[in-house]
Amino acid sequence: YSPEDGATLGLQGMIDDVLKSSDYDLAPEAPEAEKLLDILTSGDRRQLARAITALENNIYGDEIKRKLREAAANIGTPVLGITGTGGAGKSSLTDELVLRMRIDQGDKLKLAIISIDPSRKRTGGALLGDRIRMNAIEHENIYMRSMATRNFGDTAGSEISASLPEVIAACKISGFDL
């Protein structure tokens, strides 16, 4: 935006324009359900990101989600969960663990980090700012995805996203080491 846009639209007008232009249906970008497992095994990070978005938005049916979990069930990739109250140091600990793994393993390990922020009850938004405190994630073998819980209604107050089991399965199928 230019200063002229600011004078014409004002700050709220520019914000409204950004929201309007970025609010569109992502379903057409999702990998085809029938090809999902093959697409994930390809290791294509862009396709993984699109699949995670589709899982978050509940685009795939229960049968596809079940197949995804079953395909990942025998993959021995360890999963580490870190939880705590706001400000407890979860992001700092994660960053330090990533740094030490990178150093110890000579940047050979492929790591997927799924960071979940709770959705706010009043606004429905989530901060999703964990990556700003992480300095060790800038490497081609590190994949980070921020997610909101998006849990409302019956699951309100849950600290994890309803799609987390399928997202973890998708990361395992995509060939991450942790």
Side-chain angles (χ1 to χ4, degrees), residues 31 40 44-54 56 143 145:
L40 290 174
D44 184 331
R45 301 278 177 90
R46 185 176 304 265
Q47 292 300 321
L48 172 60
R50 289 176 175 161
I52 290 173
T53 298
E56 282 185 288
Y143 176 80
R145 174 63 180 252

Side-chain angles (χ1 to χ4, degrees), residues 108-173:
K108 293 178 185 167
L109 288 179
K110 290 190 249 175
L111 307 173
I113 303 165
I114 307 300
S115 178
I116 302 174
D117 271 354
S119 297
R120 306 292 183 251
K121 289 179 184 177
R122 187 171 61 85
T123 64
L127 182 59
L128 305 177
D130 288 331
R131 69 183 68 235
I132 63 171
R133 288 183 293 283
M134 295 188 197
N135 301 305
I137 62 172
E138 289 301 320
H139 189 271
E140 64 187 17
N141 285 344
I142 312 296
Y143 176 80
M144 179 166 183
R145 174 63 180 252
S146 298
M147 296 172 49
T149 56
R150 297 180 181 216
N151 292 337
F152 298 101
D154 293 338
T155 58
S158 178
E159 287 77 22
I160 62 170
S161 171
S163 61
L164 184 60
E166 290 82 17
V167 170
I168 291 172
C171 289
K172 284 183 170 187
I173 294 166

